[in-house]
Amino acid sequence: MSRDAIRNAQCSCGQFRLTVRGDPEWVNMCNCYDCQRRSGSAFHIAGFFREEQVLENEGDRTLYRRPTNEGRTLDLEFCPVCGVSLLFRVKLRPGMVAIHAGCFADRDFPAPDKIWFAHRAHPWVVLPPGENMTPPPE
Ligand SMILES: [Zn+2]
Ligand SMILES: [Zn+2]
């Protein structure tokens, strides 16, 4: 873990970019269908940072609000040019910003330590060790 590491995240075209200091407080891996759709991939990974860790937050973005699996709201900010979603905020976690791990393009980014909706994971996905946050299957 590194308190002073400087990390840069950006969208695909590079106009929406963030700089953060230090490691995320935690890293979520979510296998739910909403996250599969959002990411266009088999699961989503995001690091949760305290707002004060964000040193720079630049570029145009569009807000998309959607309900969460728990019936709350999730505010996604995505690049209006290339469509990549770089971050989101949830009401449940005031003062925190979740930044999509892939946008850092950094293989040293901390591994997920909270695993959500494991029962929605594709059968070929090998889940990393971490706290199982999965609610019981419906
Ligand atoms: Zn972009
Ligand atoms: Zn999810």
Side-chain angles (χ1 to χ4, degrees):
M1 303 292 269
S2 175
R3 188 185 298 257
D4 298 319
I6 300 293
R7 291 190 171 89
N8 298 296
Q10 67 175 62
C11 65
S12 189
C13 76
Q15 73 85 24
F16 183 8
R17 39 178 75 234
L18 295 169
T19 301
V20 295
R21 184 197 306 275
D23 284 337
E25 295 286 312
W26 70 89
V27 180
N28 274 2
M29 173 192 196
C30 187
N31 302 276
C32 84
Y33 294 147
D34 284 337
C35 287
Q36 291 187 27
R37 289 198 175 96
R38 182 207 63 75
S39 66
S41 188
F43 51 81
H44 123 120
I45 300 178
F48 279 72
F49 293 86
R50 287 174 283 106
E51 293 278 5
E52 59 265 30
Q53 290 180 268
V54 179
L55 304 180
E56 290 171 42
N57 183 350
E58 299 174 336
D60 296 333
R61 76 284 315 272
T62 302
L63 182 74
Y64 172 62
R65 172 170 289 177
R66 72 161 172 80
T68 67
N69 293 290
E70 295 81 23
R72 300 185 182 93
T73 56
L74 182 149
D75 289 336
L76 271 167
E77 293 184 16
F78 65 94
C79 173
V81 179
C82 71
V84 167
S85 59
L86 192 50
L87 65 88
F88 68 90
R89 293 179 176 85
V90 287
K91 289 245 173 3
L92 184 62
R93 302 290 184 193
M96 303 295 290
V97 56
I99 304 173
H100 297 128
C103 295
F104 289 96
D106 173 11
R107 67 187 302 271
D108 294 325
F109 195 81
D113 52 3
K114 294 183 188 298
I115 315 300
W116 293 86
F117 288 84
H119 64 287
R120 297 278 196 235
H122 289 247
W124 46 264
V125 169
V126 179
L127 297 173
E131 187 179 359
N132 186 350
M133 309 297 287
T134 303
E138 301 93 60

